Each structure stands twice: as structure tokens, then as C-alpha cells.
């Protein structure tokens, strides 16, 4: 690491020019080629996927994206009245002529007779595209919205729902990024004593990585299935970790400059100590993110690859671009006041003092009650995890002024919430008896509790597949809907009898339920893979078994607390008005996986930064005196307390930046970003304040010198990537 830092410092013009060239090339390629995001989810082996396969092969017009045009009569009119029907019929004729539209079923047609509410206040037209939602461009969806809304008038209100409409209205992080960056800059200015250039460097470094990263993600979407949310989540993650990585390195650099080292030596020391923290923490984040491939769900492949790519870029820019920029800044990494104090009073050695040393001594004195109290508090926060319900948030949680939310609300008022999540009942028809058996099943399904309507079956053009639509009485995110899907799937064999093709239950809602089930079943394997890999990495870093073990358990506690808090806010509805959450419901199924991936890595940031400094203090203390076991116990207390005293301010600042950056996404209109932002922000708060600030130091005091011990036989076979071993000369 020291050679890399030295080379980047000396060849700073070439390093900066190289990164800027990469930035220009990737952005230019991204702009010229564009993106090809894919929102579709493939779940091999599930019932909903079997329905999709049958429709795709035999009933193309029914397998494409399905949207709804919702018609509301205003001013006391009825949807059947001429003043409503005429403009709507004209608009639907124009919609049918849009390229890519396969069919439009009007509520005024015989086929759409059931698409008018009983009171005549609401109706809807079913729009089927020739392609799936992933292939419907934003311009196509916008054309549909504008054409349908041409019927708007004093007596008619039009709104639209469907996945392609959701995709078109997705605004991305937008203002949240700006707010988060400004908040981070304020904290950096406070931490760096008003040194403007030093405060800007983490933001500039992160910005370079994010611009390159988002451009590469756009290009990545052409070679692997990548949902559009991948780019937004990558920005959220990259902004947080990128600023923190810069904070760690610049903080160590500034401390070395104040201690009298040259700018070059300070840069080398910072990269060789804090830079190693960045390297190992970043590797842990990437391992956790790429561990999602173990789940076998292709929807997450693009998300994990995009996020891991962005984190790798923030790590690379922090270790190369940032040292080069420090070479350009020279004395400007300090504020004028700090430069004047250095010139007048001379170098000042970096030492533990002030509030954080007093905090560390408090934890040392009260280690038993501190450990017990902190552990109890984290467990209590995480208890709601055991009632966590996964699913899909859907249009109910969209902003109230969005057309998708308005369509959801109108359908719920006119027909019931279940009309926002119909089921597709699909079966093969190989003989008249198969068709008769399917009719028998549909009649039985219509009598099931929780079913509002089952449409008559429609036969595919080739005559091999029959399709019917079932409308439940409850919304897509309701527990009763999950139970109904299971009941309908179990009903088919009983109603049809033996010897007939299986009836598959598909559609967006059953597919989301299957998605949640698949992730829930595979989540333990994913967690085990990530925890084991992170444990092995930390063993090589700290040359210890207990420190990685404690870190793994603490990280699991952080994730549990975050998921528990998310359940309280997004499902139970506590504080939803304060946090501007339009509606409650299940937590999106893929959020816990992503949250675990990112948080496990972010927790390692603080763990490695905190414990590596403690390890430095331990080795320095042990070299100064090599005494008895009692001396070792005292040395351990010294190392833990002073390591915490020296890192507490930076860890608190890093956590504050993370909380503000992630928290800024609560002002976004995107519900997924709200969930992710709140979950990560709350988790970092718990992790930095309770776990790293209280629980981990208290446990290390209680464990004693065994913190730093590894069996000799294991010592010989494990590679030595110890931060302390690599930096012994510098820290002396």
C-alpha cells in the first residue's frame, strides 16, 4: 500500500488525468449507447413462472405488459353517460393505435362489461402490450399516458396503473443526492476544522466514482439483466461509503501533517493505515453484495453487480485519485488557523483526549452494565423482526399525486383493493374434457372466500391454453391475498380431479408472493456465505479469532435492529406521517437481502477502523513493556480505551455522514429508496452509537488479552494481511 500511495503522490498529474479520461470515455459511451434496463423477474420452478411460460409460448397477446386506464366520472355523472363515454371511447381508439399495443378492452365492450363498478362511478380499460414491461420504453409509456389523458375533462378523470407506468414515473434519487452531499459537507467542515479543500475532497472523490459507476451500470444493462433501481441504489450506497472512505484517509493524513510529517509521508502513512481499512472494508462490502448470486434469483444479479462495481470504484478512487489530489493540495488540507498554529507552536502529536477519551474510560469502568444494557437495547429494537412481512409495496405507496397512486385509489373505491392485483389462472387444454374440468375449477374458485369475480376463460389463438382472471377482495400486499394464492393453488387438483393438466396461478401479485417466498427460503444460505467469508477475511486482518467472531455477531445484531425498525415504520405505520410514507404494507422482498449486504460491509468500516487502531495501541504498548498476564490485562484496557479515544470522533463523523446521506432519501418519492434509506440510516445509527460506541469496546474489555490471540498452528497457515504488521515502522 505504501508503494501505491508513494507512486500516486509522485505521479499525481498522470493519476488524475487517467481518472478524468476514464470518466469522459465512460460517460460518452453511456450517452451514445444508452441503457437497456430489465425489470422482469424470472423464478424457475415456481407456479407463477410456469404460468408465464405457458402464456409466452401459446398466448403472446396475454403475456405482455398489462396496464389499466382508470376512468372516474366527475360532477355526479355516470361512466355510462354520453358526456363520459364519448371522450373516453375516442381516447381508447387512439390508444389502440399506439405502436406496440396488442389490445385494448374497453369497459363499453361486451368483453369488458364487468369493468364498470356497480355504482357507475368508476370503470377501467385493460391495455395489453405486445412486449413485456422491460421492453416498454419510457417514451412509449408516456405516449400511452398522454393519449389516455386526452379524455380528461370536467366530467372525466383519467389515471393509469401498471408496471410500465410505474417505470415511466420513477424519478430516481434526484434532490436526495444534493441534500445528502450538502449535509455531508457541513459535517466534514466541522470535523476538519473549516478546511474547505480537505472537506471537498471526499465529495469530489465519491463524485468521480459515481459518475463512472452509473455510466458503467448503464452499459452493464446491455450484457446482463439489470433493473433500473440498480443505478439509484448504487448511487445511494456509493455516496455514503465514498465519502466515508475519503474521511478516514484524509483524517489520518491531517493528523500526520499536524504531527510534523511531510505531506508525502503523511499521504503514504494515511493510505498504508486508513487506506488498508478502506481496502478491507470495501472488499467486505463487495463480498456481501456479490454473495447475492448464491440466492439464484436473476433479478438480484444486476442489482448486486451494479452496487459492487460502484463500491469497488469508490474504493479505487479513494486509494489512488485521493492521494494524488492530496499531493496537489499540500498545506491546504489544513485550514488557515491550523497552518498558523502549526507554524507558531510546532508539531503536535496525535493523541487520545477530550470527550472520546472520557467516553472510552467510562466504558472501561462500567464495562459489565454497559455491555448488558447495550445488548438488551439492541435486542429490544430488533424484536419486531420476528413479525416482519415481505412482499411488494406496489402503487399504494406511490406519491399521492402520481397517476399510479390515483389509479390504485380509484380502483379500490370502485371495485375493491383486489382489482389492483388480479390473478391469472392458466392451464393447458388438450381435450374437451380438459376445458370442462377448467370450467369446473373456475366455478369452484369463484365460491372461495376472498374472491370477488372470476372471468370466463379465454382460449389462446392456437387453442392449447385457456386463461381466466380472478379478482380477490383484498389488496396485493394483504396477508389474506397471500393465503388466497395458496388456497387457489391447492383447489385445482380437488376441483378438476385427476388426469387433467395443472392449473397455474400467475400474474404480478402471485409472482411477487413467489419472489418473497423464494428469497425467504434462500436467505439463511446467503447470510451464512457472507458471514463466513467476512469472518475469514477479518481473521487475516486482525490475526485473531475472537475479534472476527464478535464482529460477525455484532453485524447480525445491527441488521436485526434495522429490519425490526423497518417493520415498525413501514408495516405497523409508526411515524409514517413524520417520514412522509403514504401507506403501510409489507417490506419489499429484496430489501432485507440488499440491506444485509450493504450494512454488513458498512459495519466492517467502523469495525476495522476502530479495532485496527486498538490493535496499533496494543502492539505499541506490548513492545514498550513485555510483562505478566496482569500487565497484559492492563495493556488491553489501555489499547481499547485509547484506540476508541483516537477514533471516536472520526467514527461519529462517518456515521453522521452516512445517516444524513441515507436519511436524505426519505424525501424521495420512490418508496424503495425510502425503505432502503431509512433502513441503512437507522442501522448505522444503532451500529455506530450503541454497538461500536458501547457494546464492542465493553466486550473487548471483558475478553481481555485473548482479543489478540490466535492459535499457533493457525498462525502458520493464515496469510498475514494485518494492518498493524504492515504499518509498524510508520506508527513508531
Amino acid at each position: 500500500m505504501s508503494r501505491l500511495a508513494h507512486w500516486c503522490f509522485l505521479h499525481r498529474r498522470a493519476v488524475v488525468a487517467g481518472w478524468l479520461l476514464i470518466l469522459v470515455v465512460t460517460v460518452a459511451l453511456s450517452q451514445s449507447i444508452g441503457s437497456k434496463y430489465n425489470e422482469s423477474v424470472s423464478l424457475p420452478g415456481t407456479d407463477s413462472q410456469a404460468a408465464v411460460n405457458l402464456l409466452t409460448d401459446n398466448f403472446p397477446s396475454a403475456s405482455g405488459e398489462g396496464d389499466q386506464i382508470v376512468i372516474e366520472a366527475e360532477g355526479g355523472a355516470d361512466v355510462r353517460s354520453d358526456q363520459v363515454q364519448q371522450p373516453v371511447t375516442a381516447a381508447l381508439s387512439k390508444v389502440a393505435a399506439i405502436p406496440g399495443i396488442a389490445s385494448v378492452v374497453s369497459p363499453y365492450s361486451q368483453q369488458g362489461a364487468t369493468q364498470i363498478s356497480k355504482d357507475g362511478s368508476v370503470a377501467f380499460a385493460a391495455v395489453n402490450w405486445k412486449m413485456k414491461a422491460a421492453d416498454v420504453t419510457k417514451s412509449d409509456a408516456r405516449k400511452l399516458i398522454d393519449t389516455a389523458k386526452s379524455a380528461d375533462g370536467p366530467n372525466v378523470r383519467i389515471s393509469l396503473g401498471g408496471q410500465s407506468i410505474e417505470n415511466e414515473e420513477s424519478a430516481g434519487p434526484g434532490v436526495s443526492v444534493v441534500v445528502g452531499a450538502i449535509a455531508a459537507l457541513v459535517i466534514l467542515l466541522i470535523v476538519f476544522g473549516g478546511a474547505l479543500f480537505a472537506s471537498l475532497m471526499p465529495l469530489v472523490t465519491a463524485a468521480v466514482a459515481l459518475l463512472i459507476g452509473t455510466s458503467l451500470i448503464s452499459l452493464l444493462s446491455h450484457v446482463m439483466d439489470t433493473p433500473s433501481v440498480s443505478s439509484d441504489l448504487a448511487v445511494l450506497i456509493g455516496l455514503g461509503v465514498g465519502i466515508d472512505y475519503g474521511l478516514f484517509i484524509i483524517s489520518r493524513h491531517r493528523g500526520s501533517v499536524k504531527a510534523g510529517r511531510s505531506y508525502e509521508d503523511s499521504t503514504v502513512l494515511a493510505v498504508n493505515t486508513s487506506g488498508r481499512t478502506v481496502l478491507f472494508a470495501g472488499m467486505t462490502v463487495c463480498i456481501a453484495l456479490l454473495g447475492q448470486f448464491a440466492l439464484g434469483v436473476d433479478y438480484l444479479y444486476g442489482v448486486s453487480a451494479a452496487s459492487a462495481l460502484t463500491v469497488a470504484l469508490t474504493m479505487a478512487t479513494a486509494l489512488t485519485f485521493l492521494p494524488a489530489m492530496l499531493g496537489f493540495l499540500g498545506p491546504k488540507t489544513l485550514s488557515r488557523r491550523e497552518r498558523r498554529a502549526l507554524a507558531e507552536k510546532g508539531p503536535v502529536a496525535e493523541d487520545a483526549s477530550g470527550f472520546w477519551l472520557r467516553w472510552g474510560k467510562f466504558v472501561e469502568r462500567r464495562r459489565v452494565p454497559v455491555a448488558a444494557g447495550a445488548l438488551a437495547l439492541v435486542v429490544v429494537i430488533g424484536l419486531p423482526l420476528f413479525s416482519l412481512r415481505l412482499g411488494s409495496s406496489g402503487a399504494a405507496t406511490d406519491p399521492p399525486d402520481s397517476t399510479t397512486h390515483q389509479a390504485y385509489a380509484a380502483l379500490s373505491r370502485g371495485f375493491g383493493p383486489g382489482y389492483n392485483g388480479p390473478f391469472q389462472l392458466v392451464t393447458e387444454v388438450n381435450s374437451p374434457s380438459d376445458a370442462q374440468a377448467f370450467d369446473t375449477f373456475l366455478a369452484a374458485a369463484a365460491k372461495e372466500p376472498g374472491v370477488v369475480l372470476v372471468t370466463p376463460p379465454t382460449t389462446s389463438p392456437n387453442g392449447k391454453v385457456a386463461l381466466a382472471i380472478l379478482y380477490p377482495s383484498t389488496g396485493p400486499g394483504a396477508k389474506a391475498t397471500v393465503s388466497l394464492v395458496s388456497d387457489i393453488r391447492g383447489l385445482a387438483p380437488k376441483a378438476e380431479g385427476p388426469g387433467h393438466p395443472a392449473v397455474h396461478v400467475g400474474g404480478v401479485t402471485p409472482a411477487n408472493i413467489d419472489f418473497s417466498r423464494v428469497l425467504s427460503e434462500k436467505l439463511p444460505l446467503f447470510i451464512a456465505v457472507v458471514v463466513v467469508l467476512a469472518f475469514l477475511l477479518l481473521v487475516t486482518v486482525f490475526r485473531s479469532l475472537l475479534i472476527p467472531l464478535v464482529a460477525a455477531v455484532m453485524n447480525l445484531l445491527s441488521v436485526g435492529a434495522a429490519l425490526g425498525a423497518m417493520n415498525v415504520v413501514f408495516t405497523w405505520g409508526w411515524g409514517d406521517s413524520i417520514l412522509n410514507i403514504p401507506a403501510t404494507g409489507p417490506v419489499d422482498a429484496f430489501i432485507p437481502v440488499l440491506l444485509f449486504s450493504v450494512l454488513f460491509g458498512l459495519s466492517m468500516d467502523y469495525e476495522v477502523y476502530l479495532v485496527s487502531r486498538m490493535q496499533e495501541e496494543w502492539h505499541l504498548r506490548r513492545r514498550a513493556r513485555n510483562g505478566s498476564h496482569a500487565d497484559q490485562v492492563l495493556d488491553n484496557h489501555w489499547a481499547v480505551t485509547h484506540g476508541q479515544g483516537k477514533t471516536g470522533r472520526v467514527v461519529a463523523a462517518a456515521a453522521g455522514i452516512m445517516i444524513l446521506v441515507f436519511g436524505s432519501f426519505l424525501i424521495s418519492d420512490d418508496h424503495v429508496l425510502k425503505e432502503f434509506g431509512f433502513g441503512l440510516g437507522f442501522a448505522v445509527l444503532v451500529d455506530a452509537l450503541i454497538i461500536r460506541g458501547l457494546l464492542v469496546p465493553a466486550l473487548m474489555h471483558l475478553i481481555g488479552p485473548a482479543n489478540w490471540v490466535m492459535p499457533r498452528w493457525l498462525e502458520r497457515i493464515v496469510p498475514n494481511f494485518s494492518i498493524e504488521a504492515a504499518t509498524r515502522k510508520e506508527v513508531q
Side-chain angles (χ1 to χ4, degrees):
M1 294 295 289
S2 59
R3 287 195 295 270
L4 173 65
H6 184 73
W7 190 90
C8 290
F9 189 93
L10 292 179
H11 301 86
R12 47 188 174 270
R13 287 184 176 82
V15 172
V16 172
W19 277 109
L20 293 180
L21 178 62
I22 294 172
L23 173 62
V24 171
V25 171
T26 53
V27 170
L29 284 174
S30 174
Q31 292 296 318
S32 61
I33 297 175
S35 61
K36 191 180 180 182
Y37 293 117
N38 186 352
E39 312 296 333
S40 61
V41 180
S42 177
L43 298 170
T46 62
D47 196 48
S48 57
Q49 187 62 46
V52 170
N53 295 340
L54 274 180
L55 292 175
T56 302
D57 295 339
N58 301 280
F59 211 154
S61 62
S63 65
E65 160 69 354
D67 296 328
Q68 301 83 38
I69 299 174
V70 182
I71 305 136
E72 293 179 85
E74 300 280 305
D78 189 288
V79 292
R80 303 179 188 87
S81 63
D82 290 342
Q83 54 192 343
V84 175
Q85 185 171 345
Q86 287 180 0
V88 169
T89 301
L92 294 181
S93 297
K94 296 176 184 176
V95 167
I98 294 175
I101 298 289
S103 65
V104 178
V105 180
S106 169
Y108 305 116
S109 66
Q110 183 177 358
Q111 186 181 355
T114 59
Q115 295 169 200
I116 298 177
S117 65
K118 292 180 180 179
D119 63 1
S121 64
V122 180
F124 69 92
V127 178
N128 288 311
W129 293 84
K130 296 177 182 177
M131 54 281 212
K132 298 186 183 300
D135 298 320
V136 179
T137 65
K138 286 197 171 188
S139 61
D140 291 336
R142 173 46 56 185
K143 187 179 295 184
L144 170 59
I145 294 171
D146 293 340
T147 304
K149 282 184 171 290
S150 66
D152 268 336
N155 301 112
V156 184
R157 183 181 181 186
I158 300 293
S159 54
L160 292 91
Q163 186 60 56
S164 68
I165 310 300
E166 290 265 8
N167 296 344
E168 198 284 331
E169 290 209 321
S170 176
V175 178
S176 299
V177 175
V178 177
V179 172
I182 293 173
L185 178 60
V186 171
I187 292 183
L188 289 169
L189 284 169
I190 295 172
V191 173
F192 291 155
L196 178 61
F197 289 102
S199 302
L200 287 172
M201 274 303 99
L203 293 170
V204 172
T205 304
V208 171
L210 290 179
L211 287 171
I212 296 173
T214 51
S215 299
L216 290 177
I217 292 169
S218 177
L219 298 174
L220 179 70
S221 66
H222 290 274
V223 296
M224 69 183 300
D225 290 341
T226 307
S228 59
V229 73
S230 301
S231 181
D232 297 339
L233 293 176
V235 169
L236 188 154
I237 297 166
L239 185 63
V241 301
I243 294 174
D244 268 12
Y245 292 165
L247 169 64
F248 291 154
I249 292 174
I250 294 175
S251 178
R252 193 65 184 262
H253 171 85
R254 282 167 41 84
S256 298
V257 171
K258 291 178 182 179
R261 290 186 175 88
S262 68
Y263 301 121
E264 181 178 347
D265 289 344
S266 297
T267 301
V268 171
L269 175 61
V271 173
N272 211 22
T273 51
S274 296
R276 285 179 180 267
T277 299
V278 168
L279 176 64
F280 290 118
M283 288 172 60
T284 306
V285 177
C286 291
I287 288 171
L289 287 167
L290 295 176
Q292 293 176 39
F293 279 82
L295 292 168
V297 179
D298 60 358
Y299 179 83
L300 294 177
Y301 294 167
V303 176
S304 61
S307 298
L309 173 64
T310 305
V311 171
L313 284 168
T314 60
M315 184 171 59
T317 52
L319 296 176
T320 56
F321 179 82
L322 182 55
M325 291 302 297
L326 291 176
F328 284 114
L329 290 180
K332 291 183 179 179
T333 53
L334 303 181
S335 66
R336 291 182 180 178
R337 178 178 55 81
E338 290 170 328
R339 294 198 297 269
R340 186 165 55 250
L342 181 62
E344 294 174 356
K345 300 178 182 179
V348 178
E350 186 180 11
D351 200 3
S353 61
F355 170 79
W356 291 107
L357 181 59
R358 294 194 298 272
W359 179 281
K361 289 181 177 179
F362 166 77
V363 173
E364 179 185 345
R365 288 194 306 270
R366 307 288 184 183
R367 49 190 175 272
V368 173
V370 164
L375 179 60
L377 180 58
V378 174
V379 169
V380 169
I381 294 173
L383 283 177
L385 165 67
F386 295 101
S387 64
L388 180 67
R389 189 159 57 89
L390 302 180
S392 177
S393 50
T397 57
D398 288 346
D401 59 348
S402 66
T403 190
T404 49
H405 182 88
Q406 291 167 2
Y408 183 97
L411 284 175
S412 297
R413 285 195 304 270
F415 300 91
Y419 270 65
N420 289 286
F423 305 171
Q424 291 180 323
L425 308 179
V426 187
T427 188
E428 293 181 82
V429 179
N430 300 318
S431 66
S433 64
D434 289 342
Q436 186 176 359
F438 188 51
D439 289 338
T440 303
F441 160 73
L442 296 180
K447 297 176 183 178
E448 282 289 300
V451 175
V452 175
L453 174 70
V454 177
T455 66
T458 304
T459 305
S460 63
N462 63 9
K464 294 182 179 181
V465 166
L467 165 68
I469 305 299
L470 181 151
Y471 292 99
S473 60
T474 50
K479 284 183 179 180
T481 305
V482 178
S483 300
L484 181 61
V485 170
S486 179
D487 292 342
I488 296 298
R489 285 172 174 167
L491 176 66
K494 301 175 185 176
E496 287 193 322
H500 297 288
V503 176
H504 302 290
V505 181
V508 174
T509 297
N512 287 334
I513 292 170
D514 287 343
F515 184 53
S516 302
R517 179 182 56 79
V518 169
L519 287 183
S520 298
E521 290 173 352
K522 295 184 177 182
L523 191 58
L525 171 64
F526 165 68
I527 291 175
V529 169
V530 172
V531 169
V532 169
L533 290 176
F535 174 83
L536 294 176
L537 181 62
L538 287 184
V539 167
T540 66
V541 173
F542 291 118
R543 318 296 296 168
S544 165
L545 291 179
L546 288 177
I547 288 176
L549 180 62
V550 170
V553 174
M554 295 302 102
N555 290 352
L556 291 175
L557 287 175
S558 294
V559 175
L563 292 176
M566 287 184 67
N567 193 35
V568 167
V569 171
F570 291 95
T571 303
W572 296 2
W574 293 14
D576 53 351
S577 58
I578 299 174
L579 298 175
N580 191 30
I581 299 169
T584 58
V587 173
D588 281 275
F590 65 93
I591 290 293
V593 175
L594 278 175
L595 191 74
F596 177 83
S597 301
V598 177
L599 182 58
F600 203 88
L602 294 182
S603 298
M604 288 301 177
D605 281 0
Y606 308 131
E607 179 74 15
V608 174
Y609 189 78
L610 172 68
V611 178
S612 62
R613 201 60 184 265
M614 293 176 178
Q615 189 180 48
E616 286 182 21
E617 297 295 328
W618 164 259
H619 284 286
L620 286 172
R621 188 80 171 176
R622 295 302 302 146
R623 283 195 294 272
R625 61 174 194 171
N626 192 13
S628 63
H629 177 73
D631 289 335
Q632 292 181 13
V633 172
L634 294 175
D635 291 343
N636 178 74
H637 289 321
W638 170 276
V640 173
T641 299
H642 283 73
Q644 187 176 14
K646 288 183 177 181
T647 58
R649 186 165 180 261
V650 174
V651 169
I657 289 171
M658 287 279 196
I659 292 167
L660 290 175
V661 168
F662 295 145
S664 68
F665 283 78
L666 284 169
I667 66 177
S668 169
D669 288 335
D670 191 307
H671 188 75
V672 170
L673 292 182
K674 285 179 183 286
E675 289 178 319
F676 205 60
F678 173 83
L680 284 178
F682 187 85
V684 169
L685 175 65
V686 171
D687 192 87
L689 179 63
I690 302 175
I691 292 181
R692 311 300 158 185
L694 293 170
L695 187 52
V696 168
L699 289 175
M700 293 183 71
H701 282 298
L702 291 171
I703 293 171
N707 283 313
W708 317 107
V709 174
M710 188 162 72
R712 290 184 179 179
W713 64 269
L714 192 59
E715 186 94 34
R716 291 192 296 269
I717 62 176
V718 173
N720 190 351
F721 297 138
S722 169
I723 294 174
E724 190 278 334
T727 61
R728 187 172 297 168
K729 292 182 180 180
E730 288 92 337
V731 297
Q732 284 180 307

